[in-house]
Amino acid sequence: MSLARVHNFSISLDGFGTGEPQSLDAPFGHAGERLHEWLFATRSWREMVGQPGGTRGIDDAFARLHGPGVGAEIMGARKFGPPGWHEDPEWKGWWGSNPPFHTPVVVLTQHSRPSLEMEGGTTFHFVHASPAEALETAREAADGQDVRIGGGATVIRDFVAAGLVDHMHIVVVPILLGRGVRLWDGLEGLETDYEIESASSPSGVTHVTLTRAV
């Protein structure tokens, strides 16, 4: 069976995956882009956005694992758009006409909407489903490849709590946010279910991988 994977998900030292309040002008709330500066500096990110240069070290090596072998993504409503996006029929996500996913994307939302086909192979499907049901839908769309659980923090937490995540790559960024949406709440004892490794980067972040113990 295909795996459910989390990649490049950044959290603060105090465990927050985003700040608050989230809005059209501040997708990550008061955190701004601080959680993702390590990623924006990598060569792989710069290649994706058509910019030269970028780092080639450990951050880039982890960043490049985001796409290979992934046939579909699952994301929460807050990753797709700011609060209230469902009231705007013209809203098509943060990423423009050619989103970076290039796969089917299952958007978890209580507000139904027809599937939205974009350029580059991305099609957004809007569903109201449990984690297990959403994963089954995404696996069917992935055609034998893995499914990426894309976030935000609440979605990842719900899938982990349901025992559905096989591999996680979490990036701990050396900042304190103090408020927002925390990743690890309610997941006490998680370390007994996963083999955990960590690697420090010269950029200051720590890459933590959690792979389901056999």
Side-chain angles (χ1 to χ4, degrees):
M1 182 179 292
S2 66
L3 301 178
R5 299 160 33 188
V6 175
H7 285 282
N8 298 350
F9 192 79
S10 300
I11 62 173
S12 62
L13 287 173
D14 47 349
F16 292 98
T18 189
E20 62 180 25
Q22 293 173 271
S23 68
L24 180 62
D25 296 326
F28 296 99
H30 76 291
E33 296 185 342
R34 289 180 292 162
L35 286 172
H36 308 100
E37 289 174 350
W38 72 270
L39 178 61
F40 298 154
T42 62
R43 179 172 291 268
S44 58
W45 176 270
R46 290 179 177 271
E47 287 174 352
M48 186 177 69
V49 298
Q51 297 178 355
T55 62
R56 290 180 175 269
I58 186 172
D59 292 342
D60 186 56
F62 272 105
R64 289 184 183 275
L65 299 176
H66 179 267
V70 171
E73 168 150 338
I74 298 172
M75 69 172 62
R78 288 292 180 90
K79 182 172 179 177
F80 183 74
W85 64 261
H86 60 276
E87 298 175 353
D88 179 3
E90 299 302 316
W91 180 259
K92 298 181 180 180
W94 302 101
W95 307 279
S97 60
N98 187 2
F101 309 103
H102 311 300
T103 66
V105 177
V106 175
V107 181
L108 298 176
T109 174
Q110 297 182 13
H111 304 280
S112 62
R113 175 182 285 201
S115 294
L116 181 61
E117 185 173 350
M118 307 292 286
E119 297 176 13
T122 298
T123 300
F124 294 108
H125 303 283
F126 303 89
V127 302
H128 183 203
S130 69
E133 292 167 339
L135 183 56
E136 182 178 356
T137 298
R139 279 188 165 135
E140 291 176 358
D143 193 25
Q145 297 192 83
D146 292 346
V147 174
R148 184 172 54 238
I149 312 300
T154 300
V155 168
I156 293 174
R157 187 172 65 238
D158 288 347
F159 275 76
V160 173
L164 299 174
V165 177
D166 300 292
H167 175 83
M168 285 185 283
H169 167 227
I170 305 299
V171 185
V172 181
V173 181
I175 62 173
L176 292 172
L177 292 180
R179 54 194 169 94
V181 183
R182 203 189 302 265
L183 176 62
W184 301 123
D185 286 358
L187 298 178
E188 293 85 354
L190 175 71
E191 68 279 0
T192 64
D193 297 323
Y194 290 87
E195 297 176 356
I196 302 176
E197 297 181 358
S198 64
S200 298
S201 167
S203 67
V205 306
T206 300
H207 298 275
V208 181
T209 58
L210 301 91
T211 303
R212 187 188 299 279
V214 178

